Amino acid sequence: MSEDLPVLVYAGDQNLFSSLYPTLSQQLPREPMEWRRSYGRAPKMIHLESNFVQFKEELLPKEGNKALLTFPFLHIYWTECCDTEVYKTTVKDDITKWQNVLKAHSSVDWLIVVVESDAKKKNKTNILPRTSIVDKIRNDFCNKQSDRCVVLSDPLKDSSRSQESWNAFLTKLRTLLLMSFTKNLGKFEDDMRTLREKRTEPGWSFCEYFMVQEELAFVFEMLQQFEDALVQYDELDALFSQYVVNFGAGDGANWLTFFCQPVRSWNGLILRKPIDMEKRELIQNQEATLLDLRSYLFSRQCTLLIFLQRPWEVSQRALELLHNCVQELKLLEVSVPPGALDCWVFLSCLEVLQRIEGCCDRAQIDANVSHTVGLWSYATEKLKSLGYLCGLVSEKGPNSEDLNRTVDLLAGLGAERPETGTAKLKISKHFDLSHATIEMYTNIGRIRSAKLVGKDLAEFYMRKKGPQKAEVYLQGALKTYLAEGWALLVTHTRKQLAECQKQLGQIENYLQTSSLLAGDNHLTEEERKKFCQEILDFTNQQAENQGQKVILPMHSFAQLKTLHFDPPNAVVHVGGKLSIELTLLSQMPIPVQVDQVAIHVHFSIEKNSYRKTAEWLTKHKTSNGVITFPSEIAGLPLSRNNLPALELSEMYERSPSDNSLNTAGIICKNAHMLLRRQESSSSLDVPSGVTLEDGAHILKCNNLTLEPGDNKITFNIQGKEPGTYTLRQLCTSVGKVQFVLLHIYPIVQYDVYSQEPQLKVEPMTESLLAGIPQKVKFTVTTGHYTMKSGDTLQLSNADAMPILYHPESKAVIYSNTREKISESSLRIQSSEKITSISLPVAPAYHVIEFELEVMYLPSATGSATEKENTTNKENHRKNKEKQKQDCMATVDQKVTIDCPWSIYSTIIALTFCIPFNAKHSLLSAGKRKYVQVCVQNLSELCFQLSDYSLKNSAECPDLQLVPLNPASQQMVYSKQSIFFVWELKWTKELPLSLQCLFSVSFCPATSEEQSLTLKPFTYEFQVENFFTLYHVKTEIFPPLDAEYCKTGSLCSLEVSITRLVELSEVDRDEALTESDGYCTTKLMYEVVDNSSNWAVCGKSSGVISMPVAPRATHKVHMEVMPLFAGHLPFPDVRLFKYLPHHSAHSMQLDADSWIENDNLSVDKNVDEQADSSSIRSRGSLHSTASGEHKGLPMPRLQPFSPGQVFNSSTGMQILVIPSKDDHVLEVNVT
C-alpha cells in the first residue's frame, strides 16, 4: 500500500502533477539504486517507491517529532509556466512562499520541476525561449544549487526526446530522494543509539525505546529491506532477554516491574495480523504484560520471516520463544494461574503451525516436517498437562473442582475463541496430536523422540484403562532403550510394562519382566524384593496346581561368571573323575530356594579323534582350567556394553582479529559411534520359542539355595564313553519356572579319552656322550592296560652298549595329572643276550618312570692314515676335517625292546656323540724327529686325562718313542685342546712308514665314582717319509763397505742346500740319474716373499742337479732389496723334486739351459698344497707355458713330504736401517 512508502510532497500546479502522476509512480521504482550506508555496512540495491502527498504546512515535522514514517523526505514544486508576465506576477510569489515555509521548518530537501510543452509554444507567440524561465528560476531560487531545478520536456509525448527527458528527471529524483533518505535515516539512527546508551539512567523506559527502534524497523520494511528490519526486532529481543536474565541475578531495572503484573490473558500468539495494533498500543502505553510483549515481538518477527520466505525458521524461533517465556515468567516471579501457561503454549503452537500452513503448500510442509515436529510435540505435552489438570484423564471424569478450573482457563482465552479453546481440550484431540507427532518423528528418523511421545501416550492409555493399546508403545520404547543402552529409561519403561502385562494377564511375559526388575540395581531394595516375591508367589501357586512349566531366560535371574575344571586341562580317561565348579551370580535381592541346577551336555565322537593321547589333548586345553564368561548389565544387550570408549579432545576458538581466546571446551570425536541407533536387539531379549535340548547327558545338582551375589555349584563326573562333551545349556528350576541359558559361550568342552600303552626312551641330557655312563629315562604310559605282577621289559643286549645296573634304582608311579602315587625298587636281570626289567604293578592310565645308565663302547673311536703326500684325495679329506673339526661325530645305537602289552617289538635308537677329536703332526729339528698329537674336547664337559701313550703297531725294537709331556693327570676343558709330544729315536734304518696308536684314559672331571673302569680313547695314524733328506740354509749379506742392510740398496742372498743322507728308496724316482755309480737328482728351488718385505732381483727360481751323497752342497746366489726398515724376516725358500714329463716324444732338455732361465714353466699338480701353489713374489712360478716353450712337454714338480726338508733359517730376521735421504720413514715391526 502507498501509505507504507516514503512520503514525497508535491506543490505548485496540481493539475499538471495529476496528469504526470501515473507515469511518474510507474517509472520511479523501475530502476534500482545503489544505497551506500555509513559504518562500513555493505551497499545494497533498492527500488525507490514513494507516497506522493499534496503540500500542507501541517505535514512538515515539528520540533521533537522523531517519526520516520510520516517524515517528508523530498518536496517538489511543479510548474509549466512559459510566460514571463505570469511568472513575475504569480509563479514567483508562489515559489517564494513555498520555500519560506520549508525554511521555517528546516527542510532543505526540495526540487523545482519546469515542464515544457510544444503545444503551448504554438499557441503563444510572445513566449520567451524556455531557457529564460529556467534561468530566472535558477537565479532567483537556485543560486548555489543549480541542480535543484530540472526541466521535463513534453512528458506526455511518446518520443525519444521525451524519453530522454524523463530518464534524466527520474535519475535526479531518485538521487535526491536517496540522499535525503540516507541523511535523515542516519540522523534517526544516531538519536536512537544515543537513547539506548541512556538505558542505565533512572527513568529510562524500554517501551519508549521499543517504539523508536520499531520505527526504524518500519522504515526498513517500507524499503523492502526485511533482513534489516528483522535485525531491529532481534536486537530488541536480545536486549529485553538480557534484562530479564540480569533481573534473575538480582540486578533488576525499574521499568521491568511493568512486565511483572499477573497474567490475565493467555489466548496465545496472534500471527494473522501483520501488526497487532492492540498489543502495540499496550506496549506504547506501558501497560503490556510479559506475554503481550513477547507475543507482539514474535508476531513482527514472524511477518518479516514470511516475507523473507523463511517459514521454517518461524517454527524454530517459536519453539525457543515458548520455552524462554516459561523460564522468564519464573525469573520475574509473575503470577500465573494453574494451567494458564499450558493453554498459552498450546494455543501458540497451533497458531504457529496454522500460520506456516497458510504460506506453504502441502508438499513443502511434508518435506520440512523436521522443523515443525517440535511444535507438535510441545503442543501434545501441554495438552496432556491440561488433560491431567482438568480431570479429563481420570476414570470417573472431572469433578466440580476440575470443572471450575476449566471455566477459569476458558475465561482467560478471551472473547475471541472460547468455543475454539473448548474444542481443543477434547481427549480425542490429544490422541490425534500424539499420533501425528509420532508419525512425524518416525518419518524424519528421530526414533527416540517418537518412542518418548509413544511412552507418554501409553501412560495416558493406562490411565484410561486401555492396556492393550499401551503395550504396543511401551514395547517399542523398551526396544529402542535396550538397543541404545539407556539403563534408567529401560527400568522405568519395564515398570510400566510390568503393570500393563499384569492387567492383560500375560503371565509368562509378566514373570520375565518381574525377574528383570528384581535384578535391576536402579530400583530400590523394597521394589526389587516386591518383584522377586511376585515370582516366588507364582512358583508356589504352580507347585500346588501342577500347571505347565514356564521357561524364562536366565540372565535376568542369574549370570554365569566362571567355570572351573578339575583337573584343569579338562581331560580325563575312561573311568576317571572330573569336577566342574560353576560360579553363578544371583541377581535376586533375597535368597532363593532352587530345586535343581542342570547342565545339558552334547556328546560327539569324531573319526580317529580319540586315538589322541592325553599329552596331545593337554597341549590344546587351557592351562589353568578357568573359563571366564563376559559380564553384562541385566537386561542390556552385550553389544551395547562393548561400545568404544569416549574419545575426547580439547577445542579452542580464537578471535580472527587478535588471536585472543574466545571459547574453550571439550568435544567428543566419536559421538556418531556412541549415539547411533541400534535396532538389532529384541525388546524382551528372549528369542521366541525357548526350548530345552533333550539328551541323555545331563549334569544335575539338586536342592540348592542361591544367595544374593556369587554362588559356587560343583558337578562331579566320571568318564564313561570316550569323546568330546560340550556344555550347551544351563537350566535353573524354581518350582515350575525354569530359567534357561540357551547357549553357553564361549564354548566349554571336556574330553574323555581311551589311550594305548606307550613306551618312551629319552636321554636325561641334551646329548649322550660315548665312552662314559649316561642316564636314560624310561617312561611307560599304561593307557588302558593294567600292569600286573611279572610284567617286564625285555631289552636285547648290545656289546657296544652295556646297561649299567644300580641296586638303588627306583621306579616311580604317577597319575595322569603327574601326582606321585608310589615308588618301588627296580629289579633288573641280565643274561648274555637279554636284559629284563621288572615293571611295578600299576593301574590303567598311570605313568611309570625310571632311569638307567648306559654306556656306549665304540670298537674304534677314531682312526686315520696320514699319507704325507699332496694328492687330491688327501687334500679333500683335510678340507672336510677342517669343516667338521668343531662338531662331534655321532653314532646311532639301536635297541630292541619287547613290551608286555604288545606282541611286536619296539626299536629305540639312541644317538651317542664322541666327545674327542684327535689329529697329529710331524715336527723336525735337523735330523731329530717329533710326533705331536692334538686332542680336542668338543663336548660341554671337562675331562681328566691320564695314562697317555703312543706305540708303534709294528713293535719295532730299533725305534724308541720318548714322551716329552709330564706323567701326571692333565685337565682338558670344554671346547679346548691339549697337545702330546714324543721324540722318535732309532738305532737302525727304519721302514719308510710307521703305524702309530695313540691311547689316553679319560673320565669326567666332576665324577666322584672312580670304581668304574672306562675304556681309553684311542687314535690310530700312519707317518711316512719322515727322514730329513736336505738341509736348507739362507744368509743375507749387506753391501760391501756397509755394516747393515739399508732400504733401497741391493743385498746379497745366499741359499745353501745340503744333502744329509745317502741314497734311499725315497730317492728312486724319475728325477734320479745314475752314471758310473754316481747318482744325481734334479731339484727346483724358489725364493718367495709373501709378506712383500723384499724385492727379489734377477732369478728367483731355478733347477739344480744335486748329487745324492751325504754332505753334498749346492749354493745359489741372488740379489734382494729390502723395502722397509726394521727387523725383516728372511724370504721363504722352497724346494721341489723336478720330474720329467712322461711323454715318449718328450724332448730331453739340457739342465744348464733350464738353469739359465729365470722364469721356469712347469706343470704343477692341481692338488698342490696351499702354501706352495700361491706364490705372489717377483719371479714366481707360472703354471702356463711361456711363448718360447709353447708346444713342448712340460716337466712336473713334486713337493717333499713334511720332515724331508729342514730349513734352519725359518724364523730368522735381519736388521734393515733406513737410507739417509728418505723423507718418509717406514718401519716394519714383526
Side-chain angles (χ1 to χ4, degrees):
M1 294 178 65
S2 60
E3 290 80 2
D4 296 333
L5 301 175
V7 175
L8 196 152
V9 181
Y10 65 91
D13 192 342
Q14 186 174 355
N15 293 329
L16 174 62
F17 175 78
S18 299
S19 63
L20 298 177
Y21 174 74
T23 304
L24 181 62
S25 61
Q26 184 180 6
Q27 293 291 332
L28 180 62
R30 180 164 295 180
E31 295 293 333
M33 291 291 290
E34 185 181 34
W35 183 24
R36 295 182 177 272
R37 303 177 62 190
S38 57
Y39 300 107
R41 286 173 283 192
K44 295 183 178 181
M45 302 300 293
I46 62 173
H47 294 266
L48 290 173
E49 293 184 74
S50 294
N51 177 20
F52 291 92
V53 181
Q54 188 176 1
F55 177 77
K56 294 179 183 178
E57 188 174 353
E58 55 267 21
L59 290 176
L60 297 175
K62 298 178 176 58
E63 188 69 26
N65 186 4
K66 298 180 181 179
L68 278 177
L69 291 176
T70 58
F71 185 84
F73 289 100
L74 186 64
H75 297 266
I76 304 177
Y77 189 90
W78 297 84
T79 180
E80 57 177 353
C81 176
C82 298
D83 193 334
T84 307
E85 296 298 328
V86 174
Y87 170 74
K88 290 180 179 179
T89 57
T90 307
V91 175
K92 183 177 180 180
D93 294 338
D94 194 25
I95 295 176
T96 303
K97 292 179 183 179
W98 174 69
Q99 281 207 340
N100 290 335
V101 174
L102 294 181
K103 290 178 181 178
H105 290 83
S106 303
S107 295
V108 294
D109 299 310
W110 52 269
L111 179 68
I112 298 174
V113 182
V114 179
V115 180
E116 181 189 55
S117 175
D118 290 340
K120 289 191 174 184
K121 282 184 178 181
K122 295 176 181 179
N123 294 335
K124 296 182 180 289
T125 58
N126 59 344
I127 294 178
L128 291 174
R130 174 183 55 80
T131 55
S132 299
I133 295 296
V134 174
D135 290 341
K136 282 182 176 292
I137 292 175
R138 285 176 177 168
N139 290 332
D140 295 339
F141 303 103
C142 309
N143 290 329
K144 298 180 180 179
Q145 295 174 306
S146 60
D147 60 335
R148 295 284 177 162
C149 180
V150 295
V151 177
L152 187 60
S153 301
D154 291 329
L156 298 179
K157 285 189 175 182
D158 187 10
S159 64
S160 59
R161 181 169 177 268
S162 173
Q163 188 63 38
E164 290 176 1
S165 178
W166 266 113
N167 291 340
F169 167 68
L170 289 173
T171 302
K172 173 63 69 175
L173 181 60
R174 293 188 190 108
T175 303
L176 293 176
L177 182 59
L178 190 60
M179 289 172 55
S180 173
F181 184 80
T182 303
K183 177 182 66 177
N184 290 285
L185 186 63
K187 184 176 182 301
F188 183 86
E189 285 182 321
D190 292 340
D191 294 340
M192 183 189 74
R193 200 174 293 109
T194 302
L195 179 61
R196 184 170 59 198
E197 290 172 353
K198 295 179 180 180
R199 62 186 181 274
T200 57
E201 298 179 1
W204 186 83
S205 173
F206 175 79
C207 293
E208 293 180 7
Y209 175 74
F210 181 93
M211 304 308 293
V212 172
Q213 190 160 0
E214 189 184 31
E215 187 84 13
L216 180 62
F218 284 156
V219 172
F220 284 124
E221 185 179 358
M222 181 174 61
L223 294 174
Q224 296 186 357
Q225 300 302 308
F226 302 118
E227 191 69 51
D228 291 329
L230 182 61
V231 169
Q232 310 309 314
Y233 286 110
D234 289 344
E235 289 181 356
L236 288 170
D237 189 350
L239 182 62
F240 184 79
S241 299
Q242 188 60 49
Y243 271 105
V244 174
V245 172
N246 294 343
F247 183 87
D251 182 17
N254 294 331
W255 55 265
L256 269 175
T257 55
F258 297 109
F259 297 100
C260 296
Q261 51 188 313
V263 175
R264 295 185 176 85
S265 174
W266 42 86
N267 56 350
L269 299 173
I270 298 177
L271 305 179
R272 296 183 299 277
K273 305 175 183 178
I275 302 177
D276 190 346
M277 298 306 297
E278 180 182 349
K279 286 187 172 56
R280 190 172 189 276
E281 289 177 5
L282 291 175
I283 297 172
Q284 190 172 8
N285 298 330
Q286 299 186 3
E287 297 176 355
T289 63
L290 176 68
L291 294 182
D292 292 336
L293 174 67
R294 284 299 187 186
S295 298
Y296 176 75
L297 190 56
F298 181 77
S299 67
R300 294 297 302 134
Q301 291 172 321
C302 174
T303 301
L304 294 172
L305 288 170
I306 296 298
F307 286 153
L308 290 170
Q309 297 182 353
R310 285 149 59 182
W312 314 119
E313 191 174 335
V314 174
S315 62
Q316 177 185 348
R317 289 186 175 221
L319 197 58
E320 295 176 1
L321 167 75
L322 299 177
H323 285 288
N324 288 339
C325 283
V326 174
Q327 299 302 320
E328 288 176 350
L329 289 172
K330 293 180 181 179
L331 287 174
L332 296 178
E333 299 178 355
V334 177
S335 175
V336 183
L341 196 55
D342 292 336
C343 278
W344 184 80
V345 171
F346 173 70
L347 296 175
S348 297
C349 289
L350 297 185
E351 181 73 11
V352 174
L353 293 171
Q354 187 175 359
R355 183 73 181 92
I356 293 175
E357 289 176 0
C359 64
C360 301
D361 56 26
R362 175 50 56 185
Q364 288 179 310
I365 294 173
D366 293 340
N368 293 274
V369 170
S370 59
H371 297 94
T372 58
V373 67
L375 292 172
W376 285 95
S377 178
Y378 204 19
T380 304
E381 179 184 341
K382 292 306 175 184
L383 186 58
K384 171 188 171 185
S385 300
L386 289 172
Y388 281 103
L389 185 66
C390 299
L392 300 177
V393 182
S394 62
E395 300 176 23
K396 299 179 181 179
N399 54 27
S400 58
E401 184 180 351
D402 297 332
L403 293 175
N404 291 335
R405 190 180 295 114
T406 304
V407 172
D408 294 339
L409 290 175
L410 293 176
L413 298 179
E416 209 173 297
R417 34 177 154 180
E419 295 181 359
T420 306
T422 306
K424 291 178 191 285
L425 289 177
K426 292 181 180 179
I427 297 176
S428 60
K429 190 68 176 178
H430 176 253
F431 292 156
D432 296 341
L433 281 175
S434 298
H435 287 106
T437 305
I438 292 172
E439 183 179 358
M440 291 178 190
Y441 274 135
T442 305
N443 290 339
I444 63 175
R446 292 178 58 180
I447 305 300
R448 299 187 186 97
S449 300
K451 300 304 181 184
L452 191 60
V453 176
K455 191 167 171 287
D456 291 338
L457 187 58
E459 185 179 349
F460 189 80
Y461 278 127
M462 290 296 293
R463 285 179 171 267
K464 298 299 291 182
K465 294 300 180 183
Q468 66 279 359
K469 295 182 179 180
E471 186 191 15
V472 178
Y473 294 104
L474 291 175
Q475 292 280 20
L478 183 60
K479 179 180 180 180
T480 300
Y481 299 152
L482 281 169
E484 300 183 356
W486 305 106
L488 291 174
L489 290 175
V490 166
T491 302
H492 185 262
T493 308
R494 276 203 178 116
K495 285 177 64 178
Q496 295 175 305
L497 185 60
E499 183 62 30
C500 179
Q501 291 167 344
K502 189 174 183 180
Q503 293 184 17
L504 291 172
Q506 298 176 354
I507 302 302
E508 186 171 339
N509 291 340
Y510 175 65
L511 288 176
Q512 180 182 345
T513 307
S514 297
S515 65
L516 288 167
L517 292 170
D520 196 332
N521 292 323
H522 296 100
L523 293 178
T524 62
E525 193 72 17
E526 293 301 322
E527 287 179 306
R528 293 179 61 194
K529 289 181 179 179
K530 169 195 165 187
F531 286 108
C532 182
Q533 195 59 45
E534 289 282 328
I535 301 172
L536 297 179
D537 292 344
F538 174 80
T539 58
N540 294 332
Q541 294 174 6
Q542 289 295 310
E544 297 173 1
N545 301 335
Q546 296 296 324
Q548 188 178 2
K549 291 183 178 180
V550 177
I551 300 177
L552 302 176
M554 178 174 282
H555 67 82
S556 60
F557 177 74
Q559 287 188 16
L560 179 59
K561 293 186 67 177
T562 61
L563 185 146
H564 179 239
F565 282 109
D566 186 19
N569 55 17
V571 177
V572 66
H573 57 79
V574 174
K577 292 183 179 180
L578 176 77
S579 67
I580 302 176
E581 183 183 75
L582 298 182
T583 302
L584 207 59
L585 174 64
S586 175
Q587 309 274 16
M588 298 296 104
I590 58 176
V592 178
Q593 185 68 32
V594 177
D595 298 335
Q596 186 184 82
V597 177
I599 301 177
H600 293 251
V601 181
H602 178 264
F603 171 70
S604 64
I605 299 180
E606 298 178 7
K607 186 177 181 181
N608 296 328
S609 65
Y610 290 96
R611 299 185 63 85
K612 301 172 184 175
T613 63
E615 182 179 353
W616 186 94
L617 289 168
T618 302
K619 291 179 181 178
H620 293 75
K621 294 289 184 176
T622 55
S623 57
N624 58 358
V626 178
I627 299 170
T628 303
F629 297 90
S631 60
E632 60 175 297
I633 303 173
L636 291 183
L638 189 61
S639 60
R640 185 69 189 177
N641 301 330
N642 292 335
L643 283 178
L646 283 172
E647 294 182 10
L648 301 178
S649 64
E650 300 174 353
M651 183 271 296
Y652 300 101
E653 185 176 326
R654 298 186 178 275
S655 171
S657 58
D658 56 357
N659 201 32
S660 60
L661 184 64
N662 287 343
T663 57
I666 296 176
I667 59 174
C668 179
K669 291 184 177 180
N670 59 342
H672 62 290
M673 296 292 295
L674 298 168
L675 298 179
R676 64 182 180 181
R677 268 192 319 110
Q678 301 178 9
E679 294 288 350
S680 58
S681 299
S682 171
S683 60
L684 291 176
D685 281 343
V686 184
S688 58
V690 178
T691 57
L692 279 172
E693 292 184 357
D694 294 330
H697 300 279
I698 299 178
L699 311 179
K700 299 178 181 179
C701 197
N702 300 320
N703 298 326
L704 301 172
T705 300
L706 291 184
E707 300 288 340
D710 290 344
N711 296 267
K712 304 286 186 181
I713 305 172
T714 304
F715 298 86
N716 295 313
I717 310 163
Q718 185 171 9
K720 295 182 180 178
E721 188 176 355
T724 296
Y725 295 80
T726 304
L727 279 58
R728 288 287 184 86
Q729 295 179 338
L730 180 64
C731 176
T732 303
S733 301
V734 183
K736 293 296 181 178
V737 178
Q738 291 183 332
F739 296 95
V740 178
L741 179 61
L742 286 179
H743 303 286
I744 297 179
Y745 187 83
I747 297 174
V748 181
Q749 295 177 333
Y750 67 90
D751 291 273
V752 178
Y753 67 91
S754 175
Q755 187 182 8
E756 296 294 329
Q758 290 182 349
L759 171 65
K760 184 193 295 183
V761 181
E762 53 189 349
M764 298 292 291
T765 57
E766 185 177 352
S767 60
L768 296 175
L769 297 179
I772 60 175
Q774 297 285 278
K775 288 188 176 182
V776 177
K777 183 172 75 171
F778 286 72
T779 303
V780 178
T781 304
T782 62
H784 60 75
Y785 183 80
T786 302
M787 291 295 172
K788 302 177 292 295
S789 177
D791 286 344
T792 59
L793 294 178
Q794 305 285 340
L795 279 69
S796 60
N797 290 340
D799 295 337
M801 193 188 75
I803 296 176
L804 308 179
Y805 170 66
H806 295 279
E808 62 273 12
S809 298
K810 302 289 184 181
V812 184
I813 301 174
Y814 296 94
S815 66
N816 262 354
T817 59
R818 298 300 299 176
E819 180 183 355
K820 187 175 180 180
I821 304 298
S822 63
E823 184 178 272
S824 61
S825 297
L826 193 66
R827 292 182 295 120
I828 301 178
Q829 295 178 353
S830 296
S831 62
E832 184 179 351
K833 295 184 178 181
I834 296 296
T835 297
S836 178
I837 304 174
S838 297
L839 297 175
V841 177
Y845 298 102
H846 280 62
V847 177
I848 303 173
E849 287 186 358
F850 56 89
E851 297 177 4
L852 294 179
E853 278 192 347
V854 297
M855 185 168 64
Y856 178 69
L857 303 175
S859 56
T861 6
S863 64
T865 302
E866 284 287 346
K867 297 180 181 179
E868 299 296 337
N869 52 34
T870 54
T871 62
N872 185 39
K873 182 177 179 181
E874 180 70 13
N875 279 336
H876 183 66
R877 185 183 64 81
K878 285 187 175 183
N879 290 335
K880 290 183 68 177
E881 287 181 355
K882 187 175 181 180
Q883 293 175 3
K884 296 184 178 181
Q885 62 184 353
D886 295 332
C887 299
M888 292 187 287
T890 59
V891 178
D892 288 339
Q893 180 62 42
K894 295 182 179 179
V895 181
T896 303
I897 304 176
D898 293 329
C899 304
W901 56 81
S902 174
I903 61 174
Y904 301 103
S905 298
T906 302
I907 299 176
I908 302 294
L910 295 177
T911 301
F912 290 87
C913 300
I914 300 174
F916 299 115
N917 181 35
K919 56 186 177 179
H920 73 281
S921 60
L922 180 66
L923 307 177
S924 299
K927 289 186 176 182
R928 300 177 67 180
K929 299 295 177 180
Y930 303 87
V931 175
Q932 177 183 273
V933 178
C934 174
V935 178
Q936 185 179 8
N937 182 8
L938 302 176
S939 69
E940 300 294 334
L941 297 180
C942 300
F943 290 94
Q944 288 278 0
L945 301 184
S946 61
D947 300 334
Y948 64 92
S949 65
L950 181 65
K951 296 179 181 180
N952 181 16
S953 301
E955 296 183 358
C956 180
D958 298 325
L959 176 65
Q960 184 180 2
L961 296 172
V962 180
L964 302 182
N965 289 66
S968 61
Q969 291 185 350
Q970 297 190 50
M971 177 78 72
V972 56
Y973 294 94
S974 173
K975 308 298 182 182
Q976 300 295 322
S977 301
I978 190 169
F979 296 86
F980 299 92
V981 181
W982 285 264
E983 183 179 359
L984 290 136
K985 293 185 178 181
W986 61 91
T987 56
K988 293 183 180 181
E989 185 176 353
L990 296 178
L992 296 178
S993 175
L994 290 179
Q995 195 72 23
C996 299
L997 178 64
F998 169 75
S999 173
V1000 63
S1001 299
F1002 66 95
C1003 66
T1006 57
S1007 176
E1008 298 178 359
E1009 298 182 6
Q1010 303 296 335
S1011 59
L1012 185 63
T1013 302
L1014 302 180
K1015 187 176 180 180
F1017 171 75
T1018 59
Y1019 172 63
E1020 186 176 357
F1021 59 92
Q1022 184 175 326
V1023 179
E1024 294 180 338
N1025 300 328
F1026 57 89
F1027 298 105
T1028 304
L1029 302 179
Y1030 297 97
H1031 174 254
V1032 178
K1033 183 179 180 181
T1034 307
E1035 287 184 297
I1036 298 177
F1037 303 99
L1040 295 175
D1041 302 328
E1043 185 179 0
Y1044 299 103
C1045 296
K1046 293 182 180 181
T1047 57
S1049 61
L1050 293 175
C1051 300
S1052 176
L1053 174 68
E1054 181 184 272
V1055 179
S1056 177
I1057 304 172
T1058 304
R1059 174 78 182 191
L1060 298 181
V1061 296
E1062 296 180 352
L1063 179 65
S1064 63
E1065 291 297 327
V1066 179
D1067 297 312
R1068 298 188 182 278
D1069 52 21
E1070 299 171 6
L1072 184 66
T1073 304
E1074 292 188 36
S1075 177
D1076 300 328
Y1078 180 73
C1079 298
T1080 60
T1081 185
K1082 289 184 178 181
L1083 301 178
M1084 177 182 170
Y1085 68 89
E1086 182 181 21
V1087 179
V1088 295
D1089 182 26
N1090 290 330
S1091 58
S1092 301
N1093 293 323
W1094 301 88
V1096 181
C1097 303
K1099 294 190 300 181
S1100 62
S1101 61
V1103 178
I1104 62 173
S1105 180
M1106 189 73 185
V1108 185
R1111 298 299 177 183
T1113 302
H1114 189 93
K1115 292 185 179 182
V1116 178
H1117 296 274
M1118 62 185 70
E1119 290 181 335
V1120 295
M1121 180 188 295
L1123 303 178
F1124 303 100
H1127 286 85
L1128 303 184
F1130 281 20
D1132 294 333
V1133 178
R1134 299 176 183 174
L1135 203 62
F1136 303 91
K1137 282 187 178 183
Y1138 190 82
L1139 304 177
H1141 196 267
H1142 288 283
S1143 174
H1145 305 283
S1146 62
M1147 185 182 295
Q1148 299 295 331
L1149 300 178
D1150 185 44
D1152 294 335
S1153 65
W1154 285 108
I1155 296 173
E1156 294 301 324
N1157 289 321
D1158 182 28
N1159 294 330
L1160 297 179
S1161 297
V1162 294
D1163 186 12
K1164 288 188 177 181
N1165 291 339
V1166 295
D1167 59 351
E1168 186 175 314
Q1169 293 180 350
D1171 56 354
S1172 62
S1173 63
S1174 179
I1175 304 170
R1176 300 179 182 86
S1177 65
R1178 184 177 177 269
S1180 61
L1181 301 179
H1182 296 274
S1183 60
T1184 58
S1186 62
E1188 57 181 307
H1189 302 295
K1190 188 173 183 181
L1192 298 178
M1194 293 296 102
R1196 293 177 295 112
L1197 297 180
Q1198 179 179 329
F1200 288 97
S1201 298
Q1204 287 185 326
V1205 177
F1206 176 69
N1207 192 340
S1208 61
S1209 302
T1210 303
M1212 292 182 65
Q1213 294 180 336
I1214 186 170
L1215 177 62
V1216 178
I1217 61 176
S1219 60
K1220 295 180 180 180
D1221 58 347
D1222 283 346
H1223 299 288
V1224 179
L1225 178 63
E1226 296 187 20
V1227 178
N1228 187 298
V1229 180
T1230 57

